[in-house]
Structure formats: C-alpha cells, structure tokens
Amino acid sequence: MQSYYTLIASLPQLPREFDDGPIPISAATLRHRVSMLDHHDRQIVQQVSDFFRWDRQPRDRSDVEIRETHRRLVAEIRHPLVAQVVHHRFEMRMLVAALRCQRGGLPPPVFPDLPLAVWIQRHWDEPCFRLNERFHWLARFCQAIEDHQPRRAQWHLFTELWNHWSRLNDQYNFSFESVVLYLARWEILHRWASQNEQRGRQRFNDLVDDILRTGGVNC
Amino acid sequence: MDEPMVEMLGRIGIYAPLFLGAIGSILGCAAGGQAACGAMLDVEGGYGRLIGVSALPSSQTIYGIVVMLSMNGSYQIQAAPGMFAIGTLCGLALLFSGWFQGKCCASAIHATKSKPEVFGLSVAPAAIVEGFAVFAFVFALILAGGLPSAAGGS
C-alpha cells in the first residue's frame, strides 16, 4: 500500500485564491518532490502533466485534432479522478470554443464526444446555450467577453476551475488524489502567474532589492 | 471445546493487547513519522516538535504491555474465554486508536507546518483519540481483575 504522508506534508500550502500571492513552490522543486511517487503513480502524474501541457496548446490546432486527442485520452486514462479532471476541463474548453464561434457567427465547431456537445448543438441559437443554470460562471464569462475584457474572462474560467478542484480536494486526505489535485491547482497558479509579466518583473526586482538591502549576497 | 483449545484462547487473550496495540502504534507512528519527514522538507525549524507529535501513538503499545502483564499470572482454565474476550477486544481498541491517532498526528503536523500558532489546538484531536485508548485500557484492567484466579481476581 503506497503511502502519501511524506509527499503531501512536504508540499507547501497553496493560497486560498489562485491570484492571491506568489506560487509557493517552483516547478523544479515540485518535480523533485513528485519523484517520491512509485512508478505507477508517476505514470499517472505524467498523464496529468502531459494533458496540462497540451491544454496550453497553440491556437492553430484543428477541432478534429482536439477531438482525436479527447478520444485518445479517454481510452488511455484509467484513474477516475484524472478522468474527471480531464472531462471537466474539456467541457469548459468546449463551452468557450462554442461561445467564440457563436459570437463570430460561425457554425458549431467539431466537438469532442461528450454529452454536452449534443446539448450545445440543440440549443445553438439560444443565449449561453441555455446552460446558465448548470454553469454559473458562463454568464459572467460572456459578460467579460462582451466588455472586451479577455483577462477578466480568463479570470472567471480559472476561478471556476480553482473552486471546482478545491472542492474536490476537500474530500481527500493524504491520498494520491490529493497529489493530483495539488498539481492541477498548481497548474492554474502557474498559468495565471505566467500571464502577468509586469507583476513578475516587479516581484523579481523587489526580491533582488531585498537581498541587496539585507546583504544576503556576498560578492 | 477441548481443553488445549480453550487454553490457547486464553493465551491469545493474554498476548492480544500487546500484539494488536503494537500494530496500532506501528501504523500510527509510521503515518505521523512520514508526515513529519515530509514537513521537515518544507519548514526551516521546529523539527523536534514535529517528531514529538509523530511519536504520540507509541502509548498504545505501553497500554498493551500493562494489560498483558495484568492477565499473565496463574489462571484457571475457566478464565480463558474471558481473557480471550477482554484481551482481544481491548487489543482491537488499541489498534484502531493507534492507527487513527497517527492520522490525527499527520494532520496536526500538516496544519502546524503552514500555521505554527495552531500547534497546541491541532494536537487536541490526537489527545481525544488517546482518551478512548485510555478508557479501553483502564476497563480492561478492571474486568481482568474480576476473572477467576487472574492477577488480582477472585
């Protein structure tokens, strides 16, 4: 029986909100800590990491390619929580893609094989595809798009993901699922922080100033 | 039931509190110890108290030793079923209390790591679990005292 006490306890607490402060652990340190897992768990973590890397895709991928990736992932992924994380992320991507097409007056894109796709196609001409009740973030997201505020729209997406994964995390304690959800939430932190170059540069300068002021570096 | 079988049950009852209590301590201390080791990678000081908390489930083994010694005197064969029942059930209580106390300790270590000021309160759940182990221990001693010819018995 694999035990996760050491790994979970070695991971620093994530902030309460994803836009609340710096990332508490670097990518290199996180990789090093995750290397405590056994081979089987590392493979699952690799699947999660690969998915997130793919999720940061360049925009020139075709709908058919995305659909094929979804099919491949559904066939490959065996861990129920990882499947749930991927499913939830695909649903959000699909909604965002559908909204963009709808606003641009384009026909519905080629969707992955998900039950939600049928619903969206059936309600294509209706505002927010009549999904406001099921996806509460959708109205706020649409409003941000209408206000030409892409960063705010992204913030709403990340807030939904962050809250969903934080709620899931509350169900687990010192288990592999906690590790997966930690990685998923760390990914949001990292993506959000990567978007804010100006703030990153300011923080770096502040850190350098702090070190120089306290004499932390001996030349 | 054959007399050797009854005697064997009695012997199991004598050893069960220590055996099961030790398993509880092993599981509990392992959980707490692993969490303490992990936390030490993430904090800059206060290592001693992390290790101290992780050792809390050791007490179940001590309770097991005391119950075992209290029943290990000369006894009559009629006392064997009673010794089996008391020893095994007390041992099970010690096992679960040690195991789950370890989980409480791991959570306390995890909480203390990010918020050192809650150290005292975070150990309270582990102390409450310990309280139940003490109940099982004390009443096992009292009941064992009432067995025919057991130590202190009638």
Side-chain angles (χ1 to χ4, degrees):
Chain A
M1 188 175 62
Q2 171 79 2
S3 172
Y4 303 96
Y5 288 101
T6 307
L7 174 56
I8 303 276
S10 74
L11 299 173
Q13 187 81 21
L14 292 178
R16 208 177 291 274
E17 305 293 340
F18 67 89
D19 56 348
D20 183 19
I23 305 175
I25 182 168
S26 69
T29 311
L30 185 58
R31 258 199 310 277
H32 185 252
R33 298 274 161 87
V34 167
S35 67
M36 288 182 204
L37 292 170
D38 67 12
H39 178 67
H40 176 255
D41 287 345
R42 271 208 304 274
Q43 279 184 323
I44 298 174
V45 163
Q46 192 60 47
Q47 276 184 331
V48 178
S49 306
D50 289 346
F51 169 68
F52 286 134
R53 201 172 305 121
W54 175 86
D55 199 29
R56 291 180 174 210
Q57 61 170 313
R59 287 186 184 166
D60 55 0
R61 285 189 186 165
S62 69
D63 294 341
V64 177
E65 212 176 328
I66 292 172
R67 184 187 176 132
E68 285 310 310
T69 305
H70 177 256
R71 274 195 188 142
R72 182 177 54 77
L73 287 170
V74 167
E76 279 176 7
I77 293 171
R78 289 282 165 267
H79 194 279
L81 181 74
V82 176
Q84 199 181 339
V85 164
V86 170
H87 176 83
H88 183 246
R89 188 69 194 106
F90 262 102
E91 277 195 341
M92 288 188 87
R93 285 179 62 99
M94 199 166 69
L95 277 167
V96 171
L99 280 170
R100 281 191 184 132
C101 289
Q102 192 194 41
R103 285 178 54 79
L106 300 169
V110 180
F111 289 125
D113 302 323
L114 288 167
L116 188 62
V118 180
W119 176 277
I120 292 176
Q121 276 163 342
R122 198 177 294 155
H123 299 88
W124 182 254
D125 296 324
E126 296 178 57
C128 292
F129 318 113
R130 279 180 59 193
L131 285 168
N132 276 339
E133 289 295 313
R134 185 170 158 198
F135 299 99
H136 293 288
W137 56 273
L138 210 53
R140 293 190 293 271
F141 179 81
C142 291
Q143 188 60 49
I145 294 287
E146 272 169 30
D147 296 345
H148 303 286
Q149 297 271 355
R151 190 169 159 76
R152 189 148 58 87
Q154 185 73 354
W155 185 87
H156 286 306
L157 280 182
F158 281 174
T159 302
E160 164 60 19
L161 277 174
W162 181 268
N163 291 343
H164 180 73
W165 289 341
S166 298
R167 274 196 303 273
L168 272 179
N169 188 57
D170 291 342
Q171 300 169 20
Y172 301 104
N173 207 11
F174 295 109
S175 64
F176 181 64
E177 285 77 8
S178 308
V179 179
V180 170
L181 290 166
Y182 189 96
L183 294 174
R185 287 182 300 150
W186 183 88
E187 175 70 19
I188 297 176
L189 280 178
H190 191 246
R191 282 176 72 165
W192 183 254
S194 309
Q195 287 181 351
N196 201 340
E197 260 181 63
Q198 183 62 37
R199 202 171 149 192
R201 201 174 295 125
Q202 181 62 44
R203 177 159 170 74
F204 178 76
N205 289 335
D206 290 348
L207 284 172
V208 171
D209 287 346
D210 277 354
I211 291 169
L212 292 176
R213 203 176 307 120
T214 54
V217 177
N218 296 316
C219 301
Chain B
M1 202 180 277
D2 294 344
E3 193 169 307
M5 181 63 85
V6 175
E7 189 181 348
M8 189 185 76
L9 286 180
R11 294 286 173 193
I12 289 174
I14 291 172
Y15 190 56
L18 173 58
F19 172 72
L20 296 171
I23 291 176
S25 294
I26 290 165
L27 293 172
C29 288
Q34 288 175 66
C37 290
M40 281 192 281
L41 291 175
D42 192 41
V43 294
E44 299 300 328
Y47 304 137
R49 67 179 181 182
L50 297 180
I51 292 294
V53 171
S54 73
L56 281 181
S58 312
S59 54
Q60 277 75 3
T61 302
I62 299 167
Y63 301 149
I65 291 172
V66 175
V67 175
M68 180 187 75
L69 292 177
S70 77
M71 293 200 292
N72 195 31
S74 60
Y75 66 93
Q76 292 177 354
I77 197 74
Q78 306 91 289
M83 289 165 71
F84 176 76
I86 293 169
T88 310
L89 295 177
C90 171
L92 281 174
L94 294 178
L95 188 158
F96 282 107
S97 68
W99 183 10
F100 284 86
Q101 192 180 38
K103 288 173 183 273
C104 292
C105 292
S107 295
I109 288 164
H110 195 42
T112 304
K113 189 190 70 172
S114 331
K115 214 173 170 186
E117 64 270 24
V118 300
F119 176 71
L121 273 178
S122 69
V123 180
I128 292 167
V129 175
E130 178 81 18
F132 294 113
V134 172
F135 282 135
F137 162 65
V138 169
F139 285 97
L141 288 181
I142 292 171
L143 292 176
L147 291 173
S149 295
S154 51

